[in-house]
PDB file of all heavy atoms in Angstrom:
ATOM      1  N   GLY B  96      84.901  67.982 108.232  1.00 96.00           N
ATOM      2  CA  GLY B  96      85.848  66.868 108.022  1.00 96.00           C
ATOM      3  C   GLY B  96      87.301  67.300 108.001  1.00 96.00           C
ATOM      4  O   GLY B  96      88.141  66.646 107.401  1.00 96.00           O
ATOM      5  N   ARG B  97      87.577  68.456 108.575  1.00 97.00           N
ATOM      6  CA  ARG B  97      88.953  68.985 108.714  1.00 97.00           C
ATOM      7  C   ARG B  97      89.584  69.396 107.399  1.00 97.00           C
ATOM      8  O   ARG B  97      90.819  69.467 107.304  1.00 97.00           O
ATOM      9  CB  ARG B  97      89.861  67.981 109.470  1.00 97.00           C
ATOM     10  CG  ARG B  97      89.358  67.650 110.865  1.00 97.00           C
ATOM     11  CD  ARG B  97      90.377  66.987 111.761  1.00 97.00           C
ATOM     12  NE  ARG B  97      91.731  67.534 111.688  1.00 97.00           N
ATOM     13  CZ  ARG B  97      92.112  68.726 112.153  1.00 97.00           C
ATOM     14  NH1 ARG B  97      91.218  69.524 112.707  1.00 97.00           N
ATOM     15  NH2 ARG B  97      93.372  69.121 112.047  1.00 97.00           N
ATOM     16  N   TYR B  98      88.805  69.648 106.388  1.00 98.00           N
ATOM     17  CA  TYR B  98      89.354  70.210 105.147  1.00 98.00           C
ATOM     18  C   TYR B  98      89.726  71.673 105.365  1.00 98.00           C
ATOM     19  O   TYR B  98      88.939  72.431 105.949  1.00 98.00           O
ATOM     20  CB  TYR B  98      88.315  70.128 104.030  1.00 98.00           C
ATOM     21  CG  TYR B  98      88.201  68.768 103.360  1.00 98.00           C
ATOM     22  CD1 TYR B  98      88.548  67.605 104.020  1.00 98.00           C
ATOM     23  CD2 TYR B  98      87.765  68.684 102.048  1.00 98.00           C
ATOM     24  CE1 TYR B  98      88.438  66.366 103.413  1.00 98.00           C
ATOM     25  CE2 TYR B  98      87.654  67.450 101.424  1.00 98.00           C
ATOM     26  CZ  TYR B  98      87.991  66.277 102.112  1.00 98.00           C
ATOM     27  OH  TYR B  98      87.873  65.073 101.493  1.00 98.00           O
ATOM     28  N   ARG B  99      90.870  72.070 104.880  1.00 98.00           N
ATOM     29  CA  ARG B  99      91.307  73.469 105.013  1.00 98.00           C
ATOM     30  C   ARG B  99      90.402  74.424 104.201  1.00 98.00           C
ATOM     31  O   ARG B  99      90.037  74.109 103.073  1.00 98.00           O
ATOM     32  CB  ARG B  99      92.736  73.620 104.487  1.00 98.00           C
ATOM     33  CG  ARG B  99      93.796  73.441 105.565  1.00 98.00           C
ATOM     34  CD  ARG B  99      95.143  73.174 104.923  1.00 98.00           C
ATOM     35  NE  ARG B  99      95.452  71.765 105.003  1.00 98.00           N
ATOM     36  CZ  ARG B  99      96.278  71.222 105.867  1.00 98.00           C
ATOM     37  NH1 ARG B  99      96.921  71.981 106.727  1.00 98.00           N
ATOM     38  NH2 ARG B  99      96.468  69.922 105.911  1.00 98.00           N
ATOM     39  N   LEU B 100      90.072  75.541 104.770  1.00 98.00           N
ATOM     40  CA  LEU B 100      89.280  76.565 104.081  1.00 98.00           C
ATOM     41  C   LEU B 100      89.991  77.905 104.109  1.00 98.00           C
ATOM     42  O   LEU B 100      90.245  78.444 105.186  1.00 98.00           O
ATOM     43  CB  LEU B 100      87.897  76.684 104.709  1.00 98.00           C
ATOM     44  CG  LEU B 100      86.938  75.513 104.456  1.00 98.00           C
ATOM     45  CD1 LEU B 100      85.633  75.693 105.215  1.00 98.00           C
ATOM     46  CD2 LEU B 100      86.678  75.360 102.967  1.00 98.00           C
ATOM     47  N   TYR B 101      90.309  78.400 102.927  1.00 98.00           N
ATOM     48  CA  TYR B 101      91.018  79.690 102.818  1.00 98.00           C
ATOM     49  C   TYR B 101      90.026  80.780 102.395  1.00 98.00           C
ATOM     50  O   TYR B 101      89.252  80.573 101.489  1.00 98.00           O
ATOM     51  CB  TYR B 101      92.110  79.590 101.779  1.00 98.00           C
ATOM     52  CG  TYR B 101      93.233  78.631 102.106  1.00 98.00           C
ATOM     53  CD1 TYR B 101      93.085  77.269 101.835  1.00 98.00           C
ATOM     54  CD2 TYR B 101      94.421  79.069 102.665  1.00 98.00           C
ATOM     55  CE1 TYR B 101      94.092  76.367 102.131  1.00 98.00           C
ATOM     56  CE2 TYR B 101      95.445  78.165 102.954  1.00 98.00           C
ATOM     57  CZ  TYR B 101      95.286  76.827 102.685  1.00 98.00           C
ATOM     58  OH  TYR B 101      96.286  75.945 102.975  1.00 98.00           O
ATOM     59  N   THR B 102      90.100  81.904 103.063  1.00 98.00           N
ATOM     60  CA  THR B 102      89.296  83.068 102.648  1.00 98.00           C
ATOM     61  C   THR B 102      90.017  83.824 101.544  1.00 98.00           C
ATOM     62  O   THR B 102      91.189  83.564 101.271  1.00 98.00           O
ATOM     63  CB  THR B 102      89.082  84.016 103.831  1.00 98.00           C
ATOM     64  OG1 THR B 102      90.359  84.560 104.215  1.00 98.00           O
ATOM     65  CG2 THR B 102      88.445  83.330 105.005  1.00 98.00           C
ATOM     66  N   ASP B 103      89.298  84.760 100.944  1.00 98.00           N
ATOM     67  CA  ASP B 103      89.939  85.594  99.937  1.00 98.00           C
ATOM     68  C   ASP B 103      91.104  86.380 100.518  1.00 98.00           C
ATOM     69  O   ASP B 103      92.130  86.587  99.871  1.00 98.00           O
ATOM     70  CB  ASP B 103      88.918  86.585  99.339  1.00 98.00           C
ATOM     71  CG  ASP B 103      87.947  85.886  98.406  1.00 98.00           C
ATOM     72  OD1 ASP B 103      88.237  84.778  97.943  1.00 98.00           O
ATOM     73  OD2 ASP B 103      86.875  86.464  98.135  1.00 98.00           O
TER      74      ASP B 103
END
Side-chain angles (χ1 to χ4, degrees):
Chain B
R97 301 195 41 71
Y98 279 27
R99 269 162 259 257
L100 288 176
Y101 296 83
T102 64
D103 286 342

